[in-house]
Structure formats: structure tokens, C-alpha cells
Amino acid sequence: MTQNFERPLTILILYSVFCFSLETLPNLSADTRLFLKYSEIVVVVIFTCEYFIRILLSPKRLRFIFSFYGLVDLIAILPFYLAFAIDLRSFRLIRLLRLIRVLKVARYNSALQRFSKALFLAKEELAIFTGLSLILLYLSAVGIYHFEHVAQPEVFKSIFDSLWWSVATLTTVGYGDIYPITIGGRFFTFIILMIGLGLVAVPTGIVASALSAVRRQSE
Amino acid sequence: MTQNFERPLTILILYSVFCFSLETLPNLSADTRLFLKYSEIVVVVIFTCEYFIRILLSPKRLRFIFSFYGLVDLIAILPFYLAFAIDLRSFRLIRLLRLIRVLKVARYNSALQRFSKALFLAKEELAIFTGLSLILLYLSAVGIYHFEHVAQPEVFKSIFDSLWWSVATLTTVGYGDIYPITIGGRFFTFIILMIGLGLVAVPTGIVASALSAVRRQSE
Amino acid sequence: MTQNFERPLTILILYSVFCFSLETLPNLSADTRLFLKYSEIVVVVIFTCEYFIRILLSPKRLRFIFSFYGLVDLIAILPFYLAFAIDLRSFRLIRLLRLIRVLKVARYNSALQRFSKALFLAKEELAIFTGLSLILLYLSAVGIYHFEHVAQPEVFKSIFDSLWWSVATLTTVGYGDIYPITIGGRFFTFIILMIGLGLVAVPTGIVASALSAVRRQSE
Amino acid sequence: MTQNFERPLTILILYSVFCFSLETLPNLSADTRLFLKYSEIVVVVIFTCEYFIRILLSPKRLRFIFSFYGLVDLIAILPFYLAFAIDLRSFRLIRLLRLIRVLKVARYNSALQRFSKALFLAKEELAIFTGLSLILLYLSAVGIYHFEHVAQPEVFKSIFDSLWWSVATLTTVGYGDIYPITIGGRFFTFIILMIGLGLVAVPTGIVASALSAVRRQSE
């Protein structure tokens, strides 16, 4: 029976997430604000009903309440009721938790487990990769700081600003707000990127071989 | 016999696509415009002939007309004739459908089927990946909005503007029109990118292992 | 015997390439220019000697002259001598051919063959991927032109300018000289990038599985 | 026994690295500077003790001193003591070596060896890839110089500036400080990127198949 309610509830979650986004738009009319407010109340009421129905229908009620999805369901509706009691300033941030509802969409999906199994199989290598990446990020920040601090003291102010450059560069995002201009800094960037892109290639390979292993096991 | 006409027809398709691009150039001379117009008429006439020859040559005529390629052939020539009857404003947009002709180039290619078979094999995992990516995109937009809205109210106006930042950042395009400047926002960007790049690595692995499986099956 | 000369000749090639780069520097002193000129003469003389020694030492002389490396060796020295005879304007561009020398460095490397074998094995899939990428590039250019032309007529002037946007965006380079500002254009960019990044993931998987196949064959 | 001290020592290393970053912040108060100075002294004293305890506890003392980790331990504390004797200018740069301490964190990790074994297995292919990438980088710099030098003499000044463009473009970072504006240059960029992204896909595949081979061997 709960199966039939999954789809409309998923749409309701996506609808409430969309309303949450709309509320952040500047210059909204009073009518729209009112509509969004009532919309929110209706959504929370439905989710509250759903929460209590789930408790009533589950064979082991206490176990459901303290299970992961039970707690997610509770946290998804609690902020609305607490908003009347506690300070309104923190209201918006608490509401973020409502997004955890979206996770429920994939609740019954078995393929997600296969993926998490592959991640578990490769967790040691992924930890090393993450560690090496962090070290490379830090070393490249220190390096670029020494190359560029004199030439651009206002851009590469400290190692923390250089770290921001490292993140934007090694992920190849490259916003263009901070980049080297000296020959040394540019050559250093080249070396760091050659190493960094190689490092990015490794986890791709790790995940690929882990997924093949999981698939072979299940066959 | 139809085999011999594939190559010149493909060239004709590419030629008409090139003409379509030329028409968008500003400051075209009246002569060029006229040439492009007549060029278009010739192309449509040839494609119309081709369409009727295909119908005549196919053993089951009705089946061809309602097959995928039969409909594509029809849609590729229809806009030209409809342009005389209906409103001229929507003229340009209808013409876009003509580009579907390009798809016909790969019509007889068997390797495309192997690729689509691999996609079918991995469709469940790819759906999950797409879902997770969308959730991450939205969550990162909400997060950066809360970090940067106060510091840059004109850049991170609403969650919709933040979503644009999410797209440009997590795909590592990084145009540089919108980026975080606060320490919190930059650190958040770093965390999001570490997760996001990992998420991108997964479908690569999925497609790789699916393609290996398809190749092993066909051997 | 020729084996012993490979290393110094490689260094000489790299040296001449470096000199070629130096010549493009603006504000070079007359002394440096003279040094680079004499340096070039010495390099060409050595390569000319090498070319004739290779001809003399090879058992089948005519076959060497018309082999790939024989022709590369000739083309690498010819521009220098032709520069005296023909127009000096085209001098610089002809010199570019000298860079083909660098290819000689990997001449004896057997691993390069394994790599080219993998590319040959996957050539059908790579051709399809290239075709699909080109179609996607063009379709995204047409799409963004219709979304952004009205809002930014000076940036998205024609489909050719939009194609430049497509290249910079789908390769995730994102220089930031051209980007969408309308909601429609941004949403279209998001859709195109989701498809485009998936398309990029495929050849990675193809090459990976082809390399595995080549390695398994050689074991 | 040494096992129990690994965790606090790792935290101490990360703490000293964090202090090193803090020192580069501009406008630090005198108090903070003093605290960081004393903090540094305490850290070095602890690491000095650790170094001598390690020597005393190791069965073959001379062998430990001249082992890789023995030398890293020494280099990590030496700069502090040498800073009193030699010129203070080079002080900051010598300190960078202290970061090698971070490598000690992963000392006992066996998975790192599996990764380095995969790199060793694929070292020939990775060398070729690196070589091909460098050649492509240089050729693309020469090409873009000839396309863009006339149109943008101040941006594409020499081949060295063009090389910076090549690095930023082929790694898809794309800061946006230097990009082509001519039709020829943009088309050239497109061709180079199609080849370049293919080249990047290869090492990913190489590492993936090498990692699979290593995993199969260890099973």
C-alpha cells in the first residue's frame, strides 16, 4: 500500500524544494509570499500525516522512529513547528534539513547498494587518493605563494588565499579571479597540473575496477 | 542502390547545416542572402524527391512513413513548406528540426548499437548518478547562497543564480562571472568540488565496465 | 653504433626547438639574435651530416630516403636551405616543420605501438564519439544562439560565435569571454553539459577497455 | 609502542603545518606572532626528542639514520637549528621541507604500495603519454602564436606566453587571462582540444587497467 504513495510524495518533496528556492527570489510580490507560506503549511501537514501513518503501519514502531528514515522524516517536519518557538533568525538555515527528504526518493533503489559496495571495496585507495590530493593542494598553495606573493601581494595575500587558487586550479575550474603572472609561478602551475591531473585519473581508475569487481561478483 | 546515394546526401545535409549557420551572420550582403535562399530551395527539393523515392522503394510503404527515419525525413522538409502558411515569427525555431537530418549520417552504423547496448546495461547506475548529481547541484546552490548572499547580494541574488554557479563550478567550466569571495564560501566550494569530482568519476567507471561487458559478450 | 648517437641528437633537437621559441621573444638584443642565428646554422649542419650518414649506413639507401623517418629528416633540414632561395615571408611558417624532429625521440619505443594498436581496436567507437561530439557541439551552438542572441547581440553575434562558446563550454575550459546570462540560456547550458560530460566519459571508457584487451592479448 | 605515538605525532605535524600557514597572513598582531614563534619551538623540541628516541629504539641505528624516513625526520627539524647560523632570508624557503613530515602519516599504509606498483606497471605508457602531452603542448603554443600574435601582440607576446595559454587550455583550467579572438585561432583551439582531451583520456585508461591487473594479481 505504501508503494502507491511513493510517487505523489516524491513530487510533493520536489515541489516543496522548488518553493524553498522561490522564497529566496528578491522582489517577490506579497501575494506570492502568502501563497508560498500557505503552500508550506499544506506540505508540512501532509508530511506530518505521512509520518504518523508510517509509525502506525510499521510492525516495530519504536524501531522505525529511531531508524535512519524515521529520523529523517521527523527532522523534515520538525523545523516548521520549532520555528514558532525559537528565534526566527535561524529559521532559514534549519529549513535546509528539509532537503534530506529528497534522499527518500532513492530509498528502495537496490542499485545504490551496489554502488556503495564498490565504494566500500575501494575505500582504502580512495582515502589515500584524498590524502595525496590534500597534500598536493597544500604544497601547491605554499609553492605559488612563494612565487607570486612579491609580484601580486594583493591577490596572493597569504597561504589561505593561495589555497583558494590551488582548489580552483587543480579541480580545473579556473574562475580567473586569481592566477599566476610570473614565469616561475606559471611553470610551477604547469608542473602541479601535470601531477594533479594524473592524481585525478587514479580514483577514476580505482572506481572503475571496483565496479567491475562488484559486477563480476554479482554475476 | 540507395547505398550509393548515402554519401552525396550526407554532404548535402552538412551543406544545408552550413548554410543555416551562414544565415545568422550579421551584415550579410543582399546577394549572399539571395544565394542562401535559392540554395535552401534546391536542398529542400532534393530532400523531398529523396523522401518520395524512399517511400516508393520501401516494400512496406506505410511502415516506412511511420518509422523513426521516415518521420525524421518528413520533419526535415516540412518546415520549409509550412513556413508559407503559418506565422513567420516561429519560422527560425521550426527550422532547427532540420538538424535532425544529421542523425541520418550514422543510420547504418552498427557500432552505435553496441554503444547504446552498453548504455542500456548501465542505465540503472547512470540514473542514480544523474539523481545524485542533481541533488548535489541543488544542495551546493543552497549552501553557497547562504555563504555568499550577504557578501555579494548582487551576484548571488537567489537560489536560481546560485544554481547557475553550481552548474558552472561542478562541471569545472568556471566562466568566472560568479564565484565565492568569503572564507566560508570558498571552503564550502572546496568540499563540494571534492565530492562532485568523485561523482563525475563514477559514471566514467560505470560506462567503462559496461563497454567491457558488451565487448566480452560479442567475442 | 647509431644507438650511441640517439641521446645527443635528441638533446640537439630539444635545443633547436628551444632556440626557435627564444627567437619569438620581443626586445631581443642584437647579440642574442646573432647567437641564435649561428646556433641555427650549427644545428642544421649537424643534422645535414646526420642525414647523409644515415643514408650511407642504411643497407637499402633509396628505401630509407623515401621512408617516413627519411622524409622527416629531410624536411627538418630543407627549410633552412630553401630560405635563401624563396620568399622570406613564409620563412617562419616553414620552420614549424622542424618540430617533427621531436617525433624521432620516441622512434624506437615499442610501447607506442601498443598504444596505437589500442586506438586501432577502438577506432570505430572513437569515430562515432567524435561524430556525436561534433553534432552536440553544433546543436548546442544553435540552441544558445537562439537563447542569447537577443539578450547579448554583441557577444553571440552569429552561430560561429556560438560555436566558440560551445567549444569553450563542452571542453569545460570556460575562458569567461562568452557565457549565457538569460535563464533559458543557463538552463540550456546545464542540459547540454550533462549530456556533454557523459559523452566525454564514453571515450575514456572505450580507450580503457581497448587497452585492457591489448594487454590481455600480449600476455 | 611506537604505534601509540603515531596519532598524536600526526596531529602535531598538521598543527605545525597550520601554524606555518598562519604566519603568512598579513596584519598579524604581535601577540599572535609571539605565540606562533613559541609554538614552533615546542613543536621542534618534540620532534627532536622523537628523532633521538627513534634512533635509540631501532635495532640497527646507523641504518635508520640513513634510511628515507630517518633523513626526512632529520630534515624536518634541521632548518630550525640552522636558522640561527645561516642567513635569515632563505629561512622561510628551507622551512618548506618540514612539510615532508606529512608524508610520514601514510608510512605504514600498505595500500600505497599497491598504487605505486600499478604506476610501475604502467610507467612505460605513462612516460609516452607525458612525452606526447609535452609535444602537443609545445606544438599548440607555436600554432596559437602564429594565429594570434598579429591580432593580440600584447597578450601572445612570444612562444613562452603562448605556452602558458597551452597549459591553461589543455588542462581545461581556462583562467580567461589569455584566449584566442581570431577565427583561425579559435578553430585551431578546437582541433587542439579534441586531440588534447583524447590524450588525457588515455592515461586514465592506462591507470585503470594497471590497477585491475594489480588487483587480479593480489587475489
Side-chain angles (χ1 to χ4, degrees):
Chain A
M1 195 202 83
T2 32
Q3 212 73 29
N4 298 330
F5 289 102
E6 278 310 310
R7 194 175 289 267
L9 282 173
T10 300
I11 292 164
L12 202 68
I13 290 166
L14 293 176
Y15 171 74
S16 79
V17 164
F18 183 68
C19 287
F20 173 77
S21 308
L22 275 183
E23 282 170 46
T24 65
L25 277 177
N27 314 324
L28 275 183
S29 69
D31 279 9
T32 319
R33 288 212 181 279
L34 208 71
F35 171 77
L36 289 172
K37 202 180 167 185
Y38 283 122
S39 184
E40 167 72 8
I41 292 170
V42 170
V43 166
V44 169
V45 166
I46 295 173
F47 279 119
T48 310
C49 295
E50 182 218 357
Y51 179 61
F52 285 111
I53 289 168
R54 273 191 202 280
I55 292 176
L56 288 171
L57 288 179
S58 63
K60 295 178 179 176
R61 284 169 196 178
L62 258 175
R63 207 172 155 184
F64 170 77
I65 291 169
F66 293 103
S67 72
F68 177 69
Y69 287 117
L71 289 171
V72 165
D73 282 352
L74 186 64
I75 296 166
I77 50 173
L78 220 57
F80 180 81
Y81 299 108
L82 289 175
F84 297 116
I86 61 169
D87 183 37
L88 282 163
R89 273 280 170 85
S90 53
F91 180 63
R92 298 199 84 86
L93 259 168
I94 296 173
R95 269 180 129 177
L96 268 169
L97 291 164
R98 196 169 60 174
L99 294 172
I100 305 173
R101 277 177 198 162
V102 180
L103 280 170
K104 283 163 50 179
V105 178
R107 193 191 273 192
Y108 299 109
N109 214 321
S110 69
L112 200 65
Q113 286 186 324
R114 214 181 328 160
F115 167 44
S116 68
K117 208 186 274 178
L119 280 186
F120 181 80
L121 210 82
K123 75 174 191 303
E124 221 164 21
E125 276 99 341
L126 287 175
I128 287 171
F129 152 74
T130 311
L132 284 176
S133 297
L134 290 176
I135 291 171
L136 185 72
L137 269 176
Y138 186 74
L139 286 179
S140 63
V142 172
I144 206 75
Y145 175 77
H146 280 283
F147 278 115
E148 295 290 326
H149 179 59
V150 178
Q152 305 184 83
E154 280 309 300
V155 179
F156 290 90
K157 274 184 228 161
S158 69
I159 282 190
F160 295 99
D161 288 270
S162 301
L163 266 172
W164 172 241
W165 169 85
S166 296
V167 169
T169 299
L170 281 169
T171 59
T172 77
V173 171
Y175 288 119
D177 56 334
I178 179 168
Y179 51 82
I181 54 166
T182 66
I183 291 174
R186 287 176 168 188
F187 190 74
F188 180 75
T189 306
F190 165 62
I191 300 294
I192 283 296
L193 274 167
M194 287 294 273
I195 303 169
L197 294 185
L199 215 60
V200 167
V202 174
T204 314
I206 290 166
V207 173
S209 68
L211 274 164
S212 306
V214 168
R215 184 162 286 186
R216 242 178 286 139
Q217 277 173 17
S218 63
E219 269 168 16
Chain B
M1 195 202 82
T2 31
Q3 211 74 30
N4 298 329
F5 288 101
E6 278 310 310
R7 194 176 291 267
L9 282 173
T10 300
I11 291 165
L12 203 67
I13 290 166
L14 293 176
Y15 171 75
S16 79
V17 164
F18 183 68
C19 287
F20 175 77
S21 308
L22 274 183
E23 282 170 45
T24 65
L25 277 178
N27 312 323
L28 275 184
S29 69
D31 280 9
T32 319
R33 287 212 180 278
L34 209 71
F35 171 78
L36 289 172
K37 203 181 168 184
Y38 283 122
S39 185
E40 168 72 8
I41 293 170
V42 171
V43 166
V44 169
V45 165
I46 295 174
F47 279 119
T48 310
C49 295
E50 182 217 357
Y51 179 60
F52 285 112
I53 290 169
R54 273 191 203 279
I55 291 176
L56 288 171
L57 289 180
S58 63
K60 294 179 178 175
R61 283 170 197 178
L62 259 174
R63 205 171 158 185
F64 170 76
I65 291 170
F66 294 103
S67 72
F68 177 68
Y69 286 117
L71 289 170
V72 165
D73 283 351
L74 186 64
I75 295 166
I77 50 172
L78 221 58
F80 180 81
Y81 298 108
L82 289 175
F84 296 116
I86 61 168
D87 182 37
L88 282 162
R89 271 279 169 86
S90 53
F91 180 63
R92 296 199 85 86
L93 260 168
I94 296 173
R95 267 179 130 177
L96 267 170
L97 291 164
R98 195 168 61 175
L99 294 173
I100 304 172
R101 277 179 198 159
V102 181
L103 280 171
K104 282 164 50 179
V105 179
R107 192 192 273 193
Y108 299 109
N109 215 321
S110 68
L112 199 66
Q113 287 185 324
R114 215 183 324 164
F115 168 43
S116 68
K117 207 185 274 178
L119 280 186
F120 182 79
L121 209 82
K123 75 171 189 306
E124 220 164 23
E125 276 100 339
L126 288 175
I128 288 172
F129 152 75
T130 311
L132 284 177
S133 298
L134 291 176
I135 291 171
L136 186 71
L137 269 175
Y138 186 73
L139 285 180
S140 62
V142 172
I144 207 75
Y145 175 77
H146 281 282
F147 278 115
E148 296 290 326
H149 180 59
V150 179
Q152 305 184 82
E154 280 309 299
V155 180
F156 290 90
K157 275 183 228 162
S158 69
I159 283 193
F160 296 99
D161 288 88
S162 302
L163 265 171
W164 172 241
W165 170 85
S166 296
V167 169
T169 300
L170 280 169
T171 58
T172 76
V173 172
Y175 288 119
D177 55 336
I178 179 169
Y179 51 82
I181 54 165
T182 66
I183 291 175
R186 287 176 169 188
F187 191 73
F188 180 75
T189 306
F190 165 62
I191 301 294
I192 283 296
L193 274 166
M194 288 293 273
I195 302 168
L197 294 185
L199 215 60
V200 167
V202 174
T204 314
I206 289 165
V207 172
S209 67
L211 274 165
S212 306
V214 168
R215 184 162 287 184
R216 242 179 286 140
Q217 277 173 17
S218 62
E219 270 169 15
Chain C
M1 196 201 82
T2 31
Q3 210 74 31
N4 298 330
F5 287 103
E6 277 310 311
R7 193 176 290 267
L9 282 173
T10 300
I11 292 165
L12 202 68
I13 290 166
L14 293 176
Y15 171 75
S16 79
V17 164
F18 183 68
C19 287
F20 174 77
S21 309
L22 275 183
E23 281 170 46
T24 64
L25 277 177
N27 312 323
L28 275 184
S29 68
D31 280 10
T32 319
R33 287 211 181 278
L34 208 71
F35 172 77
L36 288 173
K37 202 181 167 185
Y38 283 123
S39 185
E40 168 71 8
I41 293 170
V42 171
V43 166
V44 170
V45 166
I46 294 174
F47 279 118
T48 311
C49 294
E50 183 218 356
Y51 179 60
F52 285 111
I53 289 169
R54 273 191 203 277
I55 292 177
L56 289 171
L57 288 180
S58 63
K60 293 177 179 176
R61 284 169 198 179
L62 259 174
R63 207 173 157 183
F64 171 76
I65 290 170
F66 292 102
S67 73
F68 177 68
Y69 286 118
L71 288 171
V72 165
D73 282 351
L74 185 64
I75 294 166
I77 51 173
L78 220 59
F80 181 80
Y81 299 108
L82 289 175
F84 297 116
I86 62 168
D87 183 36
L88 282 162
R89 273 276 170 87
S90 54
F91 180 62
R92 296 198 85 87
L93 259 168
I94 296 172
R95 265 180 131 176
L96 268 170
L97 291 164
R98 197 169 61 177
L99 294 173
I100 304 172
R101 276 178 198 160
V102 180
L103 280 171
K104 282 164 51 179
V105 178
R107 191 191 275 194
Y108 299 109
N109 216 321
S110 70
L112 200 64
Q113 286 185 325
R114 216 184 323 165
F115 167 43
S116 68
K117 206 185 276 176
L119 280 186
F120 181 80
L121 209 82
K123 75 172 189 307
E124 222 164 22
E125 276 100 340
L126 289 176
I128 287 172
F129 152 74
T130 311
L132 284 177
S133 298
L134 290 176
I135 291 170
L136 185 71
L137 269 175
Y138 186 73
L139 285 180
S140 62
V142 172
I144 207 76
Y145 175 77
H146 281 282
F147 278 115
E148 296 290 327
H149 179 59
V150 178
Q152 306 183 84
E154 280 309 300
V155 180
F156 290 90
K157 275 183 230 163
S158 69
I159 282 193
F160 295 99
D161 288 87
S162 302
L163 265 171
W164 172 241
W165 170 84
S166 296
V167 169
T169 299
L170 280 169
T171 59
T172 76
V173 172
Y175 288 119
D177 55 337
I178 178 168
Y179 51 81
I181 54 166
T182 65
I183 290 174
R186 286 175 170 188
F187 190 74
F188 179 76
T189 306
F190 165 63
I191 300 295
I192 283 295
L193 274 166
M194 287 295 272
I195 302 168
L197 294 185
L199 215 61
V200 167
V202 175
T204 315
I206 289 165
V207 173
S209 68
L211 275 165
S212 306
V214 169
R215 184 162 286 183
R216 244 179 286 139
Q217 277 173 16
S218 63
E219 267 169 16
Chain D
M1 195 201 83
T2 32
Q3 212 73 29
N4 298 330
F5 289 101
E6 277 310 311
R7 193 175 290 267
L9 282 172
T10 300
I11 291 165
L12 203 68
I13 290 165
L14 292 176
Y15 171 75
S16 79
V17 164
F18 184 69
C19 287
F20 173 77
S21 308
L22 275 183
E23 282 170 46
T24 65
L25 278 177
N27 313 324
L28 275 184
S29 68
D31 280 9
T32 318
R33 288 212 179 278
L34 209 70
F35 171 76
L36 288 172
K37 202 180 168 185
Y38 283 123
S39 185
E40 167 71 8
I41 293 171
V42 171
V43 166
V44 170
V45 166
I46 294 173
F47 279 120
T48 310
C49 294
E50 184 218 356
Y51 179 60
F52 286 111
I53 289 168
R54 274 191 202 279
I55 292 176
L56 288 172
L57 288 181
S58 63
K60 293 177 179 179
R61 284 169 196 178
L62 258 174
R63 206 172 155 183
F64 171 76
I65 291 170
F66 293 102
S67 73
F68 176 68
Y69 286 117
L71 289 171
V72 165
D73 282 351
L74 185 63
I75 295 165
I77 50 172
L78 221 59
F80 180 81
Y81 298 108
L82 289 175
F84 298 116
I86 62 168
D87 183 37
L88 282 163
R89 273 277 171 87
S90 53
F91 179 63
R92 297 198 85 86
L93 260 169
I94 296 173
R95 267 179 131 177
L96 268 170
L97 291 164
R98 195 168 63 176
L99 294 173
I100 304 172
R101 278 176 198 160
V102 179
L103 281 171
K104 284 163 51 178
V105 177
R107 192 192 275 192
Y108 300 108
N109 215 321
S110 69
L112 201 64
Q113 287 185 323
R114 215 182 326 162
F115 168 42
S116 67
K117 208 185 275 177
L119 280 186
F120 182 79
L121 210 81
K123 75 173 190 303
E124 221 164 22
E125 276 100 340
L126 288 176
I128 287 172
F129 152 74
T130 311
L132 283 177
S133 297
L134 290 176
I135 290 170
L136 185 71
L137 269 176
Y138 186 73
L139 285 180
S140 63
V142 172
I144 207 73
Y145 175 76
H146 282 282
F147 278 114
E148 295 290 327
H149 179 59
V150 178
Q152 306 184 81
E154 280 311 298
V155 180
F156 289 90
K157 276 183 228 163
S158 69
I159 282 192
F160 295 98
D161 288 87
S162 302
L163 266 171
W164 172 241
W165 170 85
S166 297
V167 169
T169 300
L170 281 169
T171 59
T172 76
V173 171
Y175 288 119
D177 55 337
I178 179 168
Y179 51 82
I181 55 166
T182 66
I183 291 174
R186 287 176 169 187
F187 191 74
F188 179 76
T189 306
F190 165 62
I191 300 294
I192 283 295
L193 274 167
M194 287 295 273
I195 303 169
L197 293 185
L199 215 61
V200 167
V202 174
T204 314
I206 289 165
V207 172
S209 68
L211 274 164
S212 305
V214 168
R215 185 162 285 184
R216 243 178 286 139
Q217 277 173 17
S218 63
E219 267 168 16

